Amino acid sequence: MREIAFDTETTGLDPRSGDRLVEIGGVELINHVATGRTFHVYINPERDVPEGAFAVHGLSTEFLSDKPKFAEVADDFLAFVGDATLVIHNASFDMGFINMELGRLGRPPIPQNQVLDTLAMARRKFSSGPYSLDALCSRFGIDNSRRTKHGALLDSELLAEVYLELLGGRQTALGLMDEAERKSGSSDDTSGGPLVAAPARPRPQPLAPRLTEDEKAAHAAFIAKMGDSALWKKYEPAGE
């Protein structure tokens, strides 16, 4: 199962009033485990960055002026996302901007059924808030000391950890067997059962031998000099 913990930064709160994306970050998860593969890009919003937005993420109009426009990174972004589920905190905000930008290019929106909202997950899990990313990091003991300002990639990395905790804790990452293997195995472990190594599969074609006939003959002659009591003869295959 492929998912992407995902976040954006913007020039403001409302894409319908002209606010634009300035940063996209994503962290790939396979079976709830981060693979190390990420997507990160700063974006020229083609407008100024208001002081209020700059105070949040620290990305100035000047800094973003030479960065690619969304139209220039859209293909790379969509290729990275593919058909993965986007795991987003307060998904309606980020998806409002992403789908507005895609609409500007005549691209179809990312459908709602491809999005998972961790804010909704947190509200279902806990009867009282706060439910911000920082608050959830504090609740789960996740170190967010690097988060002096909002940043799409860093926030995606933190979100991946929060998401894992919302699923039931870090032991979830140990569930590397597929569901059929898990159900077929016996276990008294409530975390999902033991990890069972799959049997090695034989090669379709055996590897070619590395020893030459001359080398084999030289080895046989060497063993013969040791006599019948040589320890090697105990392990030597019959007929060789």
Side-chain angles (χ1 to χ4, degrees):
M1 178 176 58
R2 184 171 182 265
E3 298 168 304
I4 296 169
F6 179 77
D7 187 57
T8 66
E9 299 300 334
T10 69
T11 64
L13 301 178
D14 188 358
R16 294 168 297 180
S17 66
D19 284 319
R20 304 288 299 273
L21 290 172
V22 298
E23 186 182 11
I24 297 174
V27 173
E28 182 184 64
L29 308 173
I30 301 294
N31 296 330
H32 308 317
V33 179
T35 66
R37 185 179 176 217
T38 63
F39 180 89
H40 181 235
V41 65
Y42 295 111
I43 298 170
N44 180 348
E46 304 178 73
R47 53 154 293 169
D48 67 297
V49 178
E51 285 299 318
F54 174 76
V56 171
H57 51 60
L59 303 177
S60 67
T61 304
E62 180 181 8
F63 173 79
L64 297 168
S65 62
D66 63 348
K67 302 302 183 285
K69 300 173 183 177
F70 182 79
E72 299 173 65
V73 301
D75 287 340
D76 289 341
F77 166 69
L78 291 172
F80 179 78
V81 171
D83 60 359
T85 297
L86 292 176
V87 179
I88 308 174
H89 200 67
N90 191 16
S92 60
F93 177 84
D94 299 88
M95 293 313 301
F97 278 90
I98 288 292
N99 284 335
M100 180 68 76
E101 295 286 1
L102 290 173
R104 290 173 184 268
L105 303 178
R107 305 289 187 90
I110 294 174
Q112 181 61 36
N113 62 10
Q114 196 177 335
V115 178
L116 189 155
D117 192 344
T118 52
L119 177 58
M121 289 179 67
R123 286 173 171 164
R124 289 193 297 268
K125 189 175 182 71
F126 303 113
S127 59
S128 62
Y131 302 106
S132 69
L133 185 60
D134 280 334
L136 291 173
C137 284
S138 178
R139 184 188 288 267
F140 291 128
I142 295 169
D143 181 11
N144 63 341
S145 58
R146 294 178 295 156
R147 196 181 189 239
T148 56
K149 288 186 179 293
H150 290 221
L153 185 57
L154 174 58
D155 287 1
S156 295
E157 292 169 346
L158 293 173
L159 178 59
E161 295 188 62
V162 166
Y163 174 51
L164 185 61
E165 294 292 351
L166 288 171
L167 288 173
R170 299 181 193 277
Q171 68 270 22
T172 303
L174 299 178
L176 303 181
M177 296 181 296
D178 64 32
E179 195 62 25
E181 290 175 312
R182 188 186 304 281
K183 289 180 179 178
S184 65
S186 61
S187 172
D188 56 2
D189 184 354
T190 58
S191 68
L195 294 178
V196 180
R201 292 178 294 178
R203 290 179 176 272
Q205 294 181 341
L207 293 174
R210 295 186 177 183
L211 292 176
T212 67
E213 293 302 320
D214 289 343
E215 288 172 330
K216 289 181 179 179
H219 176 71
F222 175 75
I223 297 300
K225 293 179 181 179
M226 296 182 179
D228 293 336
S229 61
L231 185 62
W232 188 280
K233 289 184 177 292
K234 182 179 177 180
Y235 300 100
E236 187 176 24
E240 294 190 8

